[in-house]
Amino acid sequence: VVTDLGGAHPTWFNDGADKCFVPSDVLKDAALARSVKEGKIVQYGLPIRRGFWGSGADDTKETEEEDEAVEMNGANQKSSIREKLGIADLPTVLIVGGGDGMGGIVSQAQAVGEKLQQIASSSGKSYQMVVVCGNNQAAQKELSPSQTSWGGDIEVSIQGFVNNMDDFMRASDILVTKAGPGTIAEASICGLPCILSSFLPGQEEGNVPYVVDNGFGCYQGTPEGIADTVQKWLEASTENEGNMLENMRESALTAARPDATLDIARDLAQMVYERKEYLKSNPLPVVTEAPVERVPVPYGAGRPDLF
């Protein structure tokens, strides 16, 4: 099961496997380039956490129209989710740094918070920023309202490690994150436009063009660039009746594969079942080993140098 979206190390692919599960067209092509037979390649999407299974298409629905209705209904529940989370019902920017809260989350939050305050002051509108610091307690303390003055025109919520990231994503309008494949896949399921702030060298680099080419985000490597992009997206959406963010949201939902985890699990279970049934009719031969005569060897035999 290949678990990156836009790139993978060549050793991840081997035609000796019974099946090769890939999440994207790019990685299907990579598997073919490594001589994996096309009949072994299965493209379901990236496996993600259970909290994200309920969004998007659902194979219990009978028609594509019903699937789309489920997607739209999930996207229109921001107000109730925000109420459940105890945050304001305002346009919301979510900044995450992974479980460890890495990736310059403090400088990103400060730049975005300052920019949101400027936009709010000039437009007369209010905005909200939620920062999930993960296990980075130092960042959480530094960004807390008691330590940082955010201004009176924006709402700020500073979180530590959370177990309900699906709720925070569904409550937000823009996500700032590093280019981790799981977060990107989860954001697409929530219809959440992404600003990618960094990536790990290697296969994570390929996740950037995956987001850009699918039309639901961009890459900005500096706090100032991130803040400027937030401003651009919010102001353009206001001027164009929500077109910019709405278009990216629709593109994210198009790229989403909310059923990937269950689809992969079903295939694996089917493979195990079929193998078990085959072995009932074609049991493996029982191999018996001939007894081996063990002859004691005196200590130091063949090693006169020990004496």
Side-chain angles (χ1 to χ4, degrees):
V1 180
V2 181
T3 56
D4 261 298
L5 293 163
H9 195 279
T11 56
W12 288 11
F13 304 105
N14 191 315
D15 192 51
D18 294 307
K19 285 190 178 183
C20 178
F21 296 92
V22 297
S24 64
D25 292 337
V26 171
L27 292 185
K28 180 180 179 179
D29 292 341
L32 291 170
R34 294 292 295 177
S35 301
V36 179
K37 294 182 180 63
E38 187 165 8
K40 294 183 175 183
I41 302 172
V42 183
Q43 186 175 335
Y44 283 143
L46 195 80
I48 39 81
R49 288 175 284 184
R50 184 170 188 153
F52 294 89
W53 295 357
S55 298
D58 181 347
D59 61 8
T60 62
K61 304 302 178 186
E62 295 182 357
T63 67
E64 183 177 350
E65 288 74 16
E66 287 179 311
D67 285 341
E68 292 177 353
V70 172
E71 293 178 359
M72 295 302 295
N73 184 57
N76 292 329
Q77 299 303 312
K78 282 188 173 67
S79 295
S80 59
I81 295 173
R82 288 167 179 167
E83 182 179 2
K84 182 175 74 171
L85 291 173
I87 60 177
D89 188 14
L90 295 169
T92 300
V93 179
L94 174 64
I95 302 177
V96 301
D100 294 324
M102 304 300 287
I105 193 170
V106 171
S107 57
Q108 292 169 13
Q110 290 172 339
V112 171
E114 181 178 346
K115 185 66 69 174
L116 289 176
Q117 179 62 41
Q118 293 174 6
I119 302 170
S121 298
S122 62
S123 66
K125 300 180 182 296
S126 296
Y127 296 95
Q128 178 166 244
M129 178 176 69
V130 177
V131 185
V132 177
C133 299
N135 292 317
N136 191 336
Q137 296 181 0
Q140 183 180 2
K141 181 178 180 181
E142 184 173 352
L143 293 172
S144 65
S146 61
Q147 298 293 322
T148 301
S149 176
W150 295 104
D153 296 319
I154 64 170
E155 297 289 336
V156 177
S157 174
I158 308 299
Q159 304 286 327
F161 186 88
V162 301
N163 292 312
N164 57 338
M165 185 58 75
D166 52 316
D167 285 333
F168 280 101
M169 283 194 182
R170 292 189 178 103
S172 302
D173 299 283
I174 297 172
L175 173 66
V176 179
T177 177
K178 80 178 192 70
T183 304
I184 291 171
E186 292 165 353
S188 68
I189 290 170
C190 297
L192 185 56
C194 298
I195 301 174
L196 304 179
S197 59
S198 62
F199 55 83
L200 295 176
Q203 61 266 16
E204 252 190 21
E205 184 174 359
N207 297 331
V208 175
Y210 175 86
V211 170
V212 174
D213 293 346
N214 278 289
F216 65 98
C218 69
Y219 177 79
Q220 288 290 345
T222 66
E224 295 75 20
I226 292 168
D228 288 343
T229 302
V230 167
Q231 179 181 19
K232 174 184 175 182
W233 289 3
L234 289 175
E235 289 183 343
S237 297
T238 300
E239 294 167 2
N240 299 309
E241 298 180 354
N243 285 347
M244 188 171 212
L245 286 177
E246 179 62 21
N247 289 341
M248 285 192 286
R249 188 189 75 80
E250 292 177 358
S251 296
L253 290 173
T254 299
R257 298 292 181 269
D259 298 323
T261 306
L262 294 178
D263 288 339
I264 293 170
R266 289 190 189 99
D267 272 23
L268 294 176
Q270 184 65 26
M271 291 168 64
V272 172
Y273 173 78
E274 290 175 357
R275 180 63 174 171
K276 183 177 179 181
E277 291 300 302
Y278 173 82
L279 290 176
K280 286 181 180 179
S281 304
N282 304 274
L284 296 175
V286 178
V287 179
T288 58
E289 295 183 0
V292 178
E293 183 180 357
R294 302 185 183 278
V295 180
V297 179
Y299 175 75
R303 293 288 306 278
D305 57 305
L306 294 176
F307 301 96

